[in-house]
Amino acid sequence: MPTIISIGSGKGGVGKSVISTNIAYLLGQSGYSVTLIDMDSGGADLHILMGLFKPKYSLTDFIDKKAASLEQIAEQLSGFAGIRLIAGTGDSLHTANMPAATRAKVLRHIRLIESDIVIIDVGAGTHFNTLDFFLAADIHLCVTTGDPTAILDLYRFVKLAVIRKGLSSFLSYDDVSQLIRKTDIKDIDELLELAAQYGDEKPQAIEQSIREFNPAIIFNQVSKSSTDRFSRLQTLMRTYLRVSNLELLGEIPEDQELRLSVAKYQPVTSLSPSANAAQALRSICKQLSNQIEQQPKSSRHMT
Ligand SMILES: Nc1ncnc2c1ncn2[C@@H]1O[C@H](COP(=O)(O)OP(=O)(O)O)[C@@H](O)[C@H]1O
Ligand SMILES: [Mg+2]
């Protein structure tokens, strides 16, 4: 079974796609086989960033049952040995509005992918499918810029992920979705009160599920150190969401070389390895490799 890494954010345009492709390239360079999956319903663009202009297949082929497995639609990227891409649908009707049964089937097939690593770019926002694909991973990466609105949106994204994960520990998929639709849950205390209505032991189940959730944050497009911003975010998440294991995985500077690499349809780590952004991405990948190696293979779970 592959180690699954998901990349999410509250806001669009913060660098998820660029980071996904660079991490895929670097992990490929380290000898891992990697499959990238573009789950961004609104902005499927990983293929462009890797210089593939006309993917042969997309997720739509699997969702529409034209392909029997995700393996069949994973396309080897030319010039990037060991890296395959499952291109996005580019059609929000297909991914964002995926019915629960289809979502479960996609998740099941992700686990069957024959690569060491699967990287899922889940796109931005708090749609249920986005949250579910994010939560399904073994390693959760969250991207934000230093912009206060991006940080606030990331906080909201993590809050909803925590609520969804917590409730899923004892409610069915449909019940969780219904409850979240009709109840505005402000913070974890409210969530625990709500859970107690389902049984005395339910709040404990939620607290346990939160303890197992260790999202790692990447600050992107920064011009100065993000340590202070990260500390504030950490305090907020600890206080209101009880997420105590938030980690700062790294910071990537705003870098013109990265923009140029996007214009040349290549990861900056491949095109300009000495660029500041490329160096930051390599340091992030080094830490990520440690996390990958620490994954307990037997205890991996999917929602
Ligand atoms: N570190 C950076 N330095 C300079 N430009 C960046 C950086 N990160 C992202 N960008 C720019 O922002 C654009 C949007 O990034 P992208 O990865 O597509 O965001 P998302 O996937 O989160 O919507 C990129 O095309 C690139 O031009
Ligand atoms: Mg994107």
Side-chain angles (χ1 to χ4, degrees):
M1 217 166 36
T3 295
I4 301 165
I5 302 172
S6 59
I7 304 191
S9 71
K11 209 180 170 80
V14 295
K16 286 178 303 300
S17 300
V18 160
I19 293 170
S20 301
T21 47
N22 277 282
I23 286 177
Y25 172 72
L26 290 172
L27 290 176
Q29 289 290 101
S30 308
Y32 291 106
S33 56
V34 182
T35 301
L36 267 166
I37 308 184
D38 197 340
M39 281 285 177
D40 189 340
S41 49
D45 52 16
L46 295 187
H47 55 292
I48 305 283
L49 293 175
M50 296 302 273
L52 176 67
F53 301 107
K54 279 201 177 152
K56 284 198 198 79
Y57 315 99
S58 78
L59 264 178
T60 310
D61 295 306
F62 181 70
I63 294 169
D64 289 350
K65 302 190 177 130
K66 288 190 192 118
S69 72
L70 291 177
E71 270 298 309
Q72 284 177 16
I73 58 167
E75 192 167 345
Q76 171 61 50
L77 290 167
S78 100
F80 301 104
I83 308 179
R84 300 184 305 169
L85 173 74
I86 297 179
T89 62
D91 175 359
S92 57
L93 280 177
H94 271 94
T95 22
N97 299 327
M98 206 184 288
T102 310
R103 177 202 66 107
K105 186 176 153 194
V106 174
L107 286 176
R108 215 169 45 244
H109 279 261
I110 289 176
R111 265 178 286 179
L112 298 174
I113 288 178
E114 291 163 19
S115 290
D116 301 323
I117 313 278
V118 168
I119 300 176
I120 312 176
D121 178 348
V122 302
T126 51
H127 191 282
F128 290 163
N129 275 324
T130 306
L131 291 172
D132 291 338
F133 284 114
F134 178 73
L135 286 170
D138 304 299
I139 297 174
H140 309 94
L141 307 184
C142 299
V143 183
T144 181
T145 62
D147 181 351
T149 57
I151 297 175
L152 182 62
D153 286 346
L154 178 64
Y155 173 79
R156 290 198 188 107
F157 173 79
V158 172
K159 180 181 110 170
L160 282 162
V162 162
I163 291 171
R164 201 156 172 85
K165 182 170 164 56
L167 291 174
S168 301
S169 62
F170 60 90
L171 286 179
S172 72
Y173 178 84
D174 285 343
D175 288 344
V176 174
S177 301
Q178 265 189 27
L179 195 66
I180 293 179
R181 264 192 210 105
K182 66 174 200 250
T183 319
D184 179 28
I185 303 167
K186 197 169 85 260
D187 56 23
I188 297 309
D189 285 341
E190 273 190 26
L191 178 66
L192 296 176
E193 274 172 37
L194 185 79
Q197 295 171 17
Y198 290 83
D200 291 346
E201 73 294 355
K202 303 300 188 216
Q204 270 177 22
I206 288 196
E207 288 183 88
Q208 176 63 28
S209 86
I210 298 175
R211 269 198 295 278
E212 289 165 1
F213 184 50
N214 312 312
I217 309 286
I218 297 173
F219 274 88
N220 185 28
Q221 290 178 263
V222 297
S223 53
K224 56 177 186 182
S225 164
S226 311
T227 320
D228 288 350
R229 288 195 180 99
F230 175 72
S231 294
R232 285 201 291 277
L233 185 63
Q234 203 176 25
T235 307
L236 267 183
M237 292 215 187
R238 195 182 292 129
T239 312
Y240 295 104
L241 307 184
R242 309 236 178 128
V243 172
S244 51
N245 296 319
L246 198 69
E247 184 196 348
L248 178 60
L249 194 65
E251 304 172 51
I252 305 167
E254 166 71 33
D255 188 342
Q256 186 58 23
E257 299 262 4
L258 190 146
R259 275 179 208 282
L260 284 174
S261 77
V262 171
K264 293 191 172 166
Y265 318 110
Q266 272 196 62
V268 69
T269 43
S270 158
L271 186 70
S272 316
S274 58
N276 290 336
Q279 292 182 32
L281 280 156
R282 273 202 301 279
S283 140
I284 284 171
C285 227
K286 208 166 160 192
Q287 289 209 51
L288 198 56
S289 303
N290 291 337
Q291 291 196 16
I292 292 167
E293 291 309 315
Q294 281 166 19
Q295 283 302 303
K297 305 236 177 224
S298 55
S299 67
R300 286 179 195 155
H301 64 276
M302 304 283 285
T303 49

